[in-house]
Amino acid sequence: PFSNSANTTLTPTNNTDILVGAIRVLSADGGTAIGEAILASVNMLFPDIRPDNQLIDLENVSGIPPKLAGSHSTGVIILLTDGENSAGADPIEAAHVAARLGARVYTVGLGSDKPLDDGQGTSTTGVDEKTLKEIASITGAKYWKATDASTLDATYGDIATQLKYEKGTQEVTWMFALLGAIALLGTM
């Protein structure tokens, strides 16, 4: 259920079977809504600071006290896409929302460096690296380019080294569910 918008398809869970099942039923349909995916992730990460229990969006973020970008130790979003934003909220503005809350948005552009025919006579690599680099920079994170399964695996390993770990129990299964859902954004 990602298309021209972003939807939360699974709330945080420790149940791996439910997580895998939710990822398997995701489907791509329509455009790529990178900004919407960032905002959906922000709302999942920070459910307790939403003004008047409304979803955080580009309009109501001004009522939330700003934090230093990247300062929230567990406020991490991993955005994987093989496309460029074609629908919904502006991804740069959404990145500013995430930064205001102290979240980091690590971005991964998945695709070939070779131009592809988009079916409309235009040649493109599909990944908007400029925007993905800017999103990462705004939020105090980093951008990676992955061209195949091997470089994607190495990218995830590198991302893991970037994260701060705190002693204690922390639920992170939701992050993988969200990552799987965001990965579908670029398949449209």
Side-chain angles (χ1 to χ4, degrees):
F2 273 82
S3 57
N4 293 324
S5 63
N7 302 302
T8 302
T9 57
L10 181 67
T11 57
T13 181
N14 289 325
N15 188 318
T16 305
D17 293 334
I18 291 174
L19 173 63
V20 170
I23 291 171
R24 284 188 177 143
V25 298
L26 291 174
S27 62
D29 181 33
T32 301
I34 293 172
E36 295 295 325
I38 293 170
L39 292 174
S41 300
V42 163
N43 280 292
M44 182 67 78
L45 282 172
F46 304 105
D48 297 333
I49 62 170
R50 296 183 280 193
D52 302 321
N53 292 324
Q54 296 178 6
L55 294 179
I56 297 168
D57 60 25
L58 300 179
E59 304 299 319
N60 67 9
V61 72
S62 62
I64 300 170
K67 295 184 177 183
L68 181 63
S71 64
H72 194 286
S73 63
T74 59
V76 174
I77 299 166
I78 301 171
L79 175 69
L80 170 69
T81 183
D82 69 349
E84 54 189 53
N85 195 66
S86 63
D90 179 86
I92 301 305
E93 290 181 29
H96 283 289
V97 170
R100 181 181 185 96
L101 298 170
R104 289 168 284 155
V105 182
Y106 291 97
T107 57
V108 181
L110 178 63
S112 171
D113 288 328
K114 298 175 185 170
L116 306 170
D117 183 358
D118 69 358
Q120 299 177 10
T122 305
S123 181
T124 179
T125 59
V127 177
D128 183 357
E129 287 190 284
K130 180 179 181 266
T131 297
L132 296 177
K133 287 176 181 177
E134 190 172 353
I135 290 167
S137 176
I138 288 167
T139 63
K142 185 177 173 183
Y143 166 76
W144 286 267
K145 172 73 174 188
T147 56
D148 56 29
S150 176
T151 56
L152 183 59
D153 188 49
T155 296
Y156 287 138
D158 197 20
I159 290 171
T161 67
Q162 304 288 313
L163 303 178
K164 296 177 183 177
Y165 296 95
E166 296 178 359
K167 285 190 170 193
T169 303
Q170 178 70 33
E171 168 57 44
V172 295
T173 307
W174 64 269
M175 189 174 5
F176 294 103
L178 188 57
L179 178 61
I182 291 171
L184 290 176
L185 283 175
T187 62
M188 297 168 247

